Amino acid sequence: MNRVWEHMSWLASEPRPAETDRLEECRRYCIQHLNDCGWDVRRDPFTSHNSIGFSLNGVNLVGHRRVPESSSARNDRPVFVLGAHLDSCPGTPGADDNASAVAALLDVAAAITEEFPVESWNQCPVELELVIFDLEENGMLGAAFHADGCRQQQRNVLGMVSLEMLGYCSRQPGSQSMPPELQGIYSDVGNFIGVVGNQNSTALIQHFADAFASIPDLPRESLQVPDNGRPLPPTRLSDHSPFWDAGYPALMITDTSFLRNPHYHEPTDTPETLDPVFLTKVTAGVIVAVRKLLQSGLRSG
């Protein structure tokens, strides 16, 4: 069993909704694994309000590569944010939504540490920031808090990618649905990974689409939406949308959620419903994309 599947299975052993002990236990699990593979993690607490005005307390986890204080890391490089939300809806173990994506993020952290020793890390043209978001299921509140902080601090954010449900795959015709606006444009077979960006994300879309194309037998589809996705509301349903609204290039990487997975927000969203080969290949594609960003930055598109 590979480490992505191990992480996903552990996180999805029971529900982890907002403000619960189980969610905190899962945060500690993520912190431990990030620490173990060379990342320092900052707990970033916040209080926000959902769409009906109810106050909620959340904690984002923000990870940066651990480097010696004596090292000469560049401090002028742009930041690339790779994120995934940890919380689930009540009553669902959330294997696909969103343990699959958090597991992928943890594996990216380990792989990048293995591939980039500190000496070469300090010379990368891009700084990688890993964020495990809270309160996504309550309206992307953790991502909104982080995006607002980036804007207020005038951080040079090269781009952001939200990993959102990465493990459900079906090779049966008719297994993939689409919003009416996209009917007939994409395959009706739910075996591809989707790359969704906005009007500002041309280069980022191409970068990740090319990375997924390098993984054998991993179909991928791309979509670029205007006006920060407002004409197509399903494209806004993850942690990338607050970054769109803050003016940053951002993507959602997704197996298309409820447009494919019949277990979405149900008690049946369990590890047994996911495809380990598909999840492993998607994670490999994300690693390729992040590696190339760290090696040579992002070409304008």
Side-chain angles (χ1 to χ4, degrees):
M1 184 182 297
N2 64 40
R3 60 192 178 191
V4 181
W5 196 257
E6 290 176 349
H7 290 319
M8 183 278 299
S9 298
W10 193 92
L11 293 169
S13 60
E14 58 183 281
R16 46 188 191 284
E19 299 183 323
T20 61
D21 291 342
R22 174 58 182 170
L23 182 57
E24 175 58 25
E25 186 179 20
C26 290
R27 286 193 200 103
R28 292 197 298 266
Y29 176 94
C30 293
I31 292 170
Q32 184 64 59
H33 281 275
L34 288 169
N35 287 165
D36 288 348
C37 64
W39 293 76
D40 290 327
V41 181
R42 181 183 84 246
R43 295 173 64 96
D44 202 4
F46 63 95
T47 300
S48 190
H49 296 83
N50 63 13
S51 60
I52 59 174
F54 190 78
S55 179
L56 291 165
N57 296 311
V59 180
N60 290 336
L61 304 179
V62 183
H64 290 96
R65 179 74 180 276
R66 185 183 306 123
V67 295
E69 292 184 5
S70 59
S71 65
S72 56
R74 291 174 50 184
N75 57 14
D76 61 341
R77 51 191 178 182
V79 176
F80 171 69
V81 179
L82 182 68
H85 76 88
L86 181 59
D87 56 310
S88 75
C89 280
T92 174
D96 199 22
D97 186 15
N98 195 35
S100 62
V102 175
L105 185 147
L106 295 177
D107 198 49
V108 170
I112 291 302
T113 300
E114 292 166 2
E115 294 185 27
F116 289 85
V118 170
E119 295 77 14
S120 61
W121 180 264
N122 289 340
Q123 301 308 313
C124 292
V126 175
E127 173 69 24
L128 176 60
E129 180 172 273
L130 303 178
V131 186
I132 296 176
F133 292 112
D134 201 357
L135 303 185
E136 190 271 353
E137 300 291 0
N138 299 91
M140 286 75 73
L141 301 181
F145 174 74
H146 196 73
D148 187 57
C150 289
R151 184 171 53 183
Q152 289 186 18
Q153 297 164 26
Q154 298 183 325
R155 299 180 73 196
N156 182 9
V157 178
L158 174 73
M160 181 271 184
V161 166
S162 172
L163 304 177
E164 178 66 52
M165 302 181 64
L166 305 182
Y168 190 85
C169 175
S170 175
R171 296 169 181 83
Q172 297 299 316
S175 58
Q176 180 69 56
S177 62
M178 285 288 167
E181 299 89 342
L182 302 178
Q183 288 290 341
I185 300 175
Y186 297 95
S187 171
D188 72 343
V189 179
N191 66 340
F192 60 85
I193 189 65
V195 180
V196 182
N198 70 341
Q199 68 277 0
N200 298 326
S201 306
T202 303
L204 205 56
I205 292 170
Q206 191 62 54
H207 182 90
F208 272 79
D210 289 346
F212 289 127
S214 73
I215 306 301
D217 301 317
L218 178 63
R220 87 282 184 202
E221 298 284 1
S222 300
L223 173 64
Q224 188 168 25
V225 292
D227 191 22
N228 291 336
R230 291 184 181 90
L232 200 60
T235 65
R236 291 181 53 85
L237 296 179
S238 189
D239 288 317
H240 61 292
S241 59
F243 286 83
W244 283 355
D245 296 341
Y248 298 116
L251 305 180
M252 172 173 56
I253 306 297
T254 181
D255 64 18
T256 75
S257 183
F258 56 86
L259 296 172
R260 176 187 307 177
N261 189 340
H263 308 285
Y264 173 75
H265 285 184
E266 297 292 334
T268 52
D269 183 11
T270 61
E272 293 76 16
T273 66
L274 303 188
D275 186 320
V277 174
F278 182 74
L279 177 56
T280 300
K281 288 183 177 182
V282 171
T283 303
V286 176
I287 291 170
V288 169
V290 172
R291 178 195 303 130
K292 290 183 177 180
L293 275 175
L294 293 175
Q295 289 172 336
S296 53
L298 183 67
R299 296 179 182 179
S300 61

